[in-house]
């Protein structure tokens, strides 16, 4: 049956290799089980319910990827997207988490339409490489700032806005230790380095009396507090435009970039036969539908995970790899007591470490051309310094168009880039008319 479903012989693989690939991918990305509930619960969402939503959304989306596209790629709530949801849409802009879920759902519908009509590919091809490269770096800096604040390594200062926190606090010391554990293990190519770092700090926190231990295994918490709690009342408001636009853009570049990158590494895209093109189209459709499912369950946008590359590296070539990941996410539902034993300062090192990895994308920026370099730099640091991924996009796209037009390089600008820049400019004008 597995041979018929996943065509293992055709892809020169077997059940054992695919299972190992799936377990490797799960170990690499399972940190999201602990990180996502901690980030989203800051909005008032029930932590246990978000834990269940995270596991089910990841399992469901990954199963769709496995059985529809036969791709060795796993999906789960995206890092960066969850931070934008919690700290920008809710904490900064003042919308409720239910309204934020409404934004995620609508962005999922738009994403699905863009995928079905082929506009998704048109937009991706139209966005300059320098801007695409700086998106990941900007989100990384945003995540680093959140991690540094969560751990107490960076605290507020009325004179300078920020300063170094006390290194005598347990939370800061645990964060530094966790970061070093993750960095060393990952440098040594140890599988699941991020998860090991989170669990190591959590165990030490329990042993030193800083965290309470409530057990390991239990029945999953109720998903009712977040299930279908979607509020569409603010979706048509002008201020919500940038939220939906930003969600769509991040989902667009994040998911598509991962799908292409991992598929190339698995040599799935080497063969440009109609069958392989059909598989890739189905993979695009799979990650689009996952966003809708995630918002209904009660979590931020679901996206393809770059950690899937670790499973491919271990030999995964078909949907059986991702089906294994999906099963492991379902099994994780029964380990909810561990969630209460994982403090925020145990997940903060993961955010800071991911930021370090994401910054390497800046090497792809064309630094010799200032009309490309300046918007890319603005994209990266305004995301962190204005505490908003949306502002990063706005500054980057508007400045890119202005620089290209006024230096006589307007023909370099793709229509999609003009459209995005105009939408963000209109948003700025509308939001400041009353001030």
């Amino acid at each position: 049956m597995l041979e018929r479903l996943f065509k293992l012989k055709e892809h020169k693989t077997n059940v054992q290799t695919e299972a190992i690939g799936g377990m490797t991918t799960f170990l690499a990305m399972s940190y999201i089980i602990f990180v996502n509930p901690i980030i989203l619960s800051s909005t008032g969402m029930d932590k246990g319910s978000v834990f269940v939503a995270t596991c089910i959304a990841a399992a469901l989306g990954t199963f769709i990827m496995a059985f529809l596209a036969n791709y060795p790629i796993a999906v789960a709530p995206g890092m960066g997207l969850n931070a934008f949801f919690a700290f920008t849409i809710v904490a900064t802009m003042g919308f409720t988490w239910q309204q934020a879920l409404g934004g995620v759902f609508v962005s999922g519908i738009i994403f699905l339409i863009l995928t079905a009509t082929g506009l998704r590919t048109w937009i991706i091809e139209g966005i300059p490489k320098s801007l695409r490269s700086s998106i990941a770096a900007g989100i990384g800096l945003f995540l680093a700032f959140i991690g540094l604040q969560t751990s107490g390594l960076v605290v507020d200062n009325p004179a300078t806005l920020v300063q170094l926190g006390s290194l005598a606090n347990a939370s800061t010391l645990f964060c530094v230790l966790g970061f070093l554990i993750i960095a060393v293990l990952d440098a040594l190519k140890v599988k699941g380095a991020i998860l090991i770092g989170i669990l190591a700090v959590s165990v030490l926190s329990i042993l030193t009396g800083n965290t309470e231990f409530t057990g390991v295994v239990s029945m999953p918490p109720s998903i009712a507090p977040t299930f279908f709690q979607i509020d569409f009342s603010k979706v048509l408001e002008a201020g919500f435009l940038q939220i939906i636009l930003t969600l769509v853009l991040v989902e667009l570049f994040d998911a598509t970039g991962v799908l292409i990158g991992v598929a190339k590494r698995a040599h799935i895209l080497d063969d440009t036969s109609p069958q392989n093109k059909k598989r890739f189209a189905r993979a695009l459709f799979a990650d689009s539908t996952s966003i809708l499912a995630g918002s209904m369950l009660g979590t931020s946008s679901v996206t393809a995970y770059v950690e899937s590359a670790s499973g491919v590296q271990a030999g995964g070539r078909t949907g059986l790899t991702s089906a294994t990941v999906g099963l492991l996410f379902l099994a994780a539902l029964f380990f909810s007591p561990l969630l209460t034993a994982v403090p925020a300062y145990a997940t903060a090192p993961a955010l800071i470490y991911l930021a370090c990895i994401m910054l390497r994308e800046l090497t792809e920026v064309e630094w010799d051309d200032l009309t490309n370099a300046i918007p890319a730099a603005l994209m990266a640091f305004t995301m962190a310094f204005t505490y908003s991924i949306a502002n990063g996009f706005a500054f980057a796209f508007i400045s890119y168009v202005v620089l290209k037009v006024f230096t006589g390089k307007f023909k370099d600008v793709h229509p999609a880039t003009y459209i995005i820049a105009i939408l963000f400019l209109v948003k700025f004008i509308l939001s400041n008319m009353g001030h």
Side-chain angles (χ1 to χ4, degrees):
M1 186 180 80
L2 292 176
E3 170 59 40
R4 183 169 51 85
L5 273 173
F6 301 111
K7 300 179 175 63
L8 302 179
K9 287 178 183 174
E10 184 184 315
H11 292 92
K12 299 173 184 176
T13 184
N14 55 57
V15 174
Q16 183 183 352
T17 303
E18 294 294 298
I20 290 169
M23 286 187 276
T24 304
T25 296
F26 179 76
L27 276 175
M29 65 183 289
S30 54
Y31 62 85
I32 194 64
I33 294 170
F34 301 108
V35 178
N36 201 49
I38 286 174
I39 289 176
L40 296 190
S41 63
S42 68
T43 66
M45 297 176 81
D46 181 80
K47 191 186 284 186
S49 183
V50 175
F51 168 80
V52 174
T54 300
C55 292
I56 295 177
L60 187 61
T62 305
F63 283 141
I64 295 171
M65 189 68 75
F67 295 107
L68 185 67
N70 195 21
Y71 259 39
I73 293 175
V75 304
M79 292 299 299
L81 287 162
N82 53 8
F84 179 67
F85 181 105
F87 302 113
T88 302
I89 302 176
V90 178
T92 305
M93 300 182 74
F95 293 103
T96 66
W97 61 263
Q98 292 92 337
Q99 290 161 350
L101 285 176
V104 172
F105 186 88
V106 172
S107 76
I109 294 287
I110 295 170
F111 198 40
L112 198 58
I113 292 168
L114 292 175
T115 302
T117 57
L119 282 171
R120 176 174 177 170
T121 309
W122 178 75
I123 294 170
I124 287 290
E125 289 172 350
I127 305 307
K129 185 182 177 183
S130 290
L131 289 189
R132 288 205 303 268
S133 301
S134 63
I135 290 168
I139 291 173
L141 286 173
F142 183 46
L143 291 176
F145 197 34
I146 291 166
L148 291 167
Q149 285 180 299
T150 304
S151 63
L153 273 168
V154 167
V155 294
D156 65 316
N157 182 303
T160 60
L161 289 182
V162 292
Q163 69 176 30
L164 181 67
S166 171
L167 294 178
N169 291 340
S171 62
T172 55
L173 292 173
F174 277 130
C175 178
V176 171
L177 177 64
F179 176 80
L180 292 174
I181 290 171
I182 293 169
V184 169
L185 292 179
D186 207 25
L188 293 171
K189 302 287 191 290
V190 175
K191 300 284 188 282
I194 293 176
L195 179 64
I196 293 169
I198 291 171
L199 294 178
V201 169
S202 301
V203 169
L204 285 171
S205 186
I206 292 166
L207 294 175
T208 54
N210 288 287
T211 313
E212 186 182 352
F213 179 65
T214 56
V216 177
V217 179
S218 76
M219 290 301 291
S222 170
I223 197 175
T226 62
F227 185 67
F228 236 98
Q229 298 295 311
I230 303 175
D231 182 354
F232 295 109
S233 62
K234 302 288 184 180
V235 165
L236 296 177
E237 286 189 6
F240 223 75
L241 168 69
Q242 68 159 334
I243 291 172
I244 294 170
L245 182 60
T246 302
L247 286 170
V248 170
L249 288 175
V250 177
E251 290 158 1
L252 200 65
F253 298 122
D254 206 3
T256 310
V258 169
L259 283 171
I260 292 171
V262 177
K264 279 182 178 176
R265 194 173 294 194
H267 303 293
I268 295 169
L269 292 181
D270 293 354
D271 175 11
T272 54
S273 64
Q275 185 184 356
N276 259 6
K277 284 183 177 178
K278 191 175 180 181
R279 275 180 77 194
F280 187 68
R282 285 177 173 178
L284 292 174
F285 177 77
D287 81 334
S288 304
T289 53
S290 301
I291 297 168
L292 297 175
S295 64
M296 288 187 278
L297 291 164
T299 183
S300 52
S301 301
V302 174
T303 188
Y305 259 62
V306 72
E307 283 83 355
S308 303
S310 62
V312 168
Q313 193 72 30
R317 291 293 180 273
T318 73
L320 184 53
T321 292
S322 39
T324 305
V325 177
L327 289 171
L328 289 169
F329 268 113
L330 289 180
L333 283 167
F334 298 94
F335 294 88
S336 62
L338 288 176
L339 189 64
T340 59
V342 178
Y345 54 76
T347 57
L351 302 186
I352 300 166
Y353 185 72
L354 286 170
C356 295
I357 301 300
M358 293 166 86
L359 281 173
R360 65 185 173 195
E361 294 294 326
L362 287 174
T363 58
E364 301 292 320
V365 175
E366 298 164 56
W367 293 106
D368 293 333
D369 183 347
L370 288 179
T371 61
N372 288 322
I374 290 170
L378 284 171
M379 171 88 80
F381 64 70
T382 52
M383 279 190 189
F385 297 156
T386 67
Y387 222 66
S388 168
I389 294 171
N391 288 338
F393 275 122
F395 277 89
F397 278 93
I398 293 170
S399 64
Y400 181 83
V401 169
V402 170
L403 285 166
K404 289 293 184 184
V405 169
F406 284 94
T407 55
K409 298 178 180 178
F410 55 90
K411 289 182 180 177
D412 293 352
V413 185
H414 189 275
T417 306
Y418 277 119
I419 293 167
I420 294 166
I422 290 167
L423 287 172
F424 275 120
L425 187 61
V426 169
K427 174 262 162 189
F428 275 138
I429 293 168
L430 292 175
S431 61
N432 288 284
M433 280 177 69
H435 297 286

